[in-house]
Amino acid sequence: LTGFLYGWGLFTVIQTGTIAAVAVAFSKFTAYLIPQLNDAAPLFQQGSFKITWLQILGIGIILLLTYINTRGIKSGKLIQSVFTASKIIALLGLIVLGLLFIKDSHLTENLNIGTKAFQNLKGEGWVPISGKAILGGIAAAMVGSVFSSVAWESVTFVSGEIENPKRNVVRAMVIGTASVIILYFLCNVVYLSALSRDEIAFAANDRVAVAAAEKIMGNTGTIIMAV
C-alpha cells in the first residue's frame, strides 16, 4: 500500500512538481539572455491568473525533453550527459575563478552576522524576528538546500536497464550525492565571498549564480552562467 501510494504521489505531485520548478528556472535563465521575455505582456490574463511567454517556454521545454526521452535510452542518455557535463563545468569554473579572482571578499562579514541573521525582509530593509518565526525562516531556507540534493534516488528508476545494478546503482548514488554536496558547498563559499548579504537576498529573479559570476568575470561570466 505504501509503495502504491508513493508511486501515485510521485507521478501526480512530487516528480511533476520538480519538473515544473526546473522548467521555471530554465525560463528565468533564458530571460536573462533574452530580456524581452521578462517584460512581455501576458498572452492571457483573467484576474490574478495569467499565462506568460516564460510559462509557455517552460511548457515547451518539458514537452521537447519528454519527446526526446521517449525515443529510447540512447537519446535520454545523450541529453543527460550533455546537460550534466555543462552544469558541472559551469559550477567548477565559477568555483575556481571565484576562489582565485575575488578581490573584496564578503565571507568574513557574512559569517559574522551572528544573531542579526535572524531577520526578515520587509519592503526595502530587514527587521528582527524571533520565536516561531525563526523556525519558519530556517525551514524556508532549507527548501533550496534540500531541493539541490533531491533526485539522488532517481537513479534507482532505471536500475532495470543498468548492468550489475547491485554494484552500479549504489556506486552511482554515493558518488552522485557526494559530488553534489561538495560542488554546492564550494559554490556557496563563492557566493558568500563574492556577494554581500543584501546582494544575495535581492539578486534579480533569484539568479544568485549570475550575480556572483558578474562580480567575478563581468558581463561575459553572467552569459556563461545563464547558458
Side-chain angles (χ1 to χ4, degrees):
L1 176 62
T2 304
F4 177 81
L5 293 176
Y6 177 75
W8 277 104
L10 187 77
F11 177 70
T12 57
V13 180
I14 302 169
Q15 198 73 9
T16 46
T18 302
I19 291 170
V22 174
V24 168
F26 175 87
S27 298
K28 284 185 176 182
F29 280 96
T30 303
Y32 181 82
L33 301 172
I34 310 173
Q36 293 84 350
L37 289 172
N38 286 314
D39 306 317
L43 293 169
F44 173 81
Q45 185 163 8
Q46 184 70 41
S48 60
F49 176 79
K50 60 183 178 181
I51 298 174
T52 66
W53 283 106
L54 288 177
Q55 291 169 328
I56 295 297
L57 178 62
I59 292 169
I61 199 67
I62 289 173
L63 293 175
L64 174 62
L65 292 176
T66 300
Y67 171 74
I68 292 173
N69 276 284
T70 61
R71 301 295 296 169
I73 293 173
K74 289 184 178 180
S75 300
K77 176 186 174 182
L78 178 64
I79 289 292
Q80 290 282 1
S81 299
V82 171
F83 281 13
T84 301
S86 64
K87 286 184 285 187
I88 290 174
I89 291 169
L91 290 173
L92 287 174
L94 182 71
I95 292 165
V96 172
L97 294 175
L99 295 176
L100 291 177
F101 297 114
I102 292 175
K103 296 178 182 177
D104 301 315
S105 176
H106 295 275
L107 184 61
T108 303
E109 167 195 338
N110 284 326
L111 294 180
N112 286 336
I113 292 173
T115 55
K116 292 181 180 179
F118 296 117
Q119 296 182 340
N120 187 28
L121 285 169
K122 287 290 185 182
E124 295 299 320
W126 300 82
V127 296
I129 61 174
S130 59
K132 293 181 179 178
I134 291 177
L135 296 177
I138 292 173
M142 286 298 295
V143 172
S145 304
V146 174
F147 190 83
S148 69
S149 299
V150 76
W152 59 270
E153 77 286 358
S154 294
V155 69
T156 63
F157 299 169
V158 292
S159 56
E161 312 292 342
I162 296 175
E163 293 182 5
N164 194 354
K166 185 177 290 187
R167 181 194 68 183
N168 290 329
V169 169
V170 174
R171 179 181 292 180
M173 292 174 77
V174 171
I175 294 174
T177 305
S179 301
V180 168
I181 291 171
I182 293 169
L183 279 172
Y184 281 5
F185 174 79
L186 292 174
C187 275
N188 276 280
V189 171
V190 171
Y191 298 155
L192 292 169
S193 299
L195 305 170
S196 67
R197 181 184 62 169
D198 283 8
E199 287 173 324
I200 293 172
F202 297 108
N205 289 317
D206 301 323
R207 295 184 294 234
V208 179
V210 170
E214 185 174 19
K215 274 290 189 74
I216 298 165
M217 296 175 280
N219 188 56
T220 302
T222 64
I223 293 173
I224 292 172
M225 190 52 59
V227 171

